[in-house]
Amino acid sequence: MKQRSIEDSFYKIGILLLFIALGFVITGRSVRLTPCLFHLLTGYYCPGCGGTRSVAALAQGKLLLSVYYHPLVPYGAAVYLAFMVTQTIGRVLHKPKIGMKFRLFYVWVALFILFLNFAVKNALHYFYGFAM
């Protein structure tokens, strides 16, 4: 029995996410979310604030606006696309070395982007009254 790699698991999750996203696109449904409790209570932005708007902007092809709202979303989308495309090519050609591999570095970059976004938005809000 072949042992599965972490890439196999991520690939299956990626396919599932693709079908879920396509389901929303085909049916025209949207997700209604509650306001951010952290922002309502403190007046400051949580680490995820702007994520939904960023996804919507990216879905409309507005990359710079997506980066403005939350830079982690376009980064995640780029890593997802690179992973899924290279893994699919590697699987179709039966050459697993072609596919992108999981590296902890990608996670650290994502955490850095998350923290930097959180710190910059709240610093701008605190010192300059910046509001998104």
Side-chain angles (χ1 to χ4, degrees):
M1 184 166 154
K2 181 185 165 196
Q3 185 174 351
R4 287 190 211 164
S5 67
I6 192 166
E7 287 82 11
D8 292 333
S9 298
F10 283 148
Y11 188 73
K12 288 178 183 176
I13 292 169
I15 295 291
L16 179 64
L17 289 174
L18 178 64
F19 281 114
I20 290 170
L22 286 175
F24 278 103
V25 170
I26 291 169
T27 61
R29 293 188 181 194
S30 62
V31 178
R32 187 169 179 93
L33 301 173
T34 59
C36 177
L37 186 60
F38 182 86
H39 184 68
L40 288 173
L41 293 175
T42 67
Y44 290 97
Y45 302 106
C46 77
C49 276
T52 305
R53 287 175 286 164
S54 182
V55 169
L58 192 59
Q60 296 171 2
K62 299 174 182 175
L63 181 61
L64 292 179
L65 190 59
S66 179
V67 170
Y68 171 76
Y69 285 142
H70 205 300
L72 185 59
V73 171
Y75 169 78
V79 170
Y80 169 82
L81 284 173
F83 178 81
M84 293 303 290
V85 167
T86 59
Q87 282 288 321
T88 300
I89 291 169
R91 290 163 194 269
V92 168
L93 298 177
H94 301 291
K95 295 184 179 184
K97 292 188 179 195
I98 291 177
M100 185 176 165
K101 304 293 182 221
F102 172 78
R103 302 282 184 259
L104 201 52
F105 173 76
Y106 302 130
V107 177
W108 284 111
V109 169
L111 290 173
F112 177 75
I113 291 170
L114 188 71
F115 174 76
L116 188 65
N117 179 61
F118 172 72
V120 168
K121 282 183 182 174
N122 284 312
L124 289 172
H125 178 68
Y126 181 80
F127 292 112
Y128 301 105
F130 172 79
M132 285 201 52

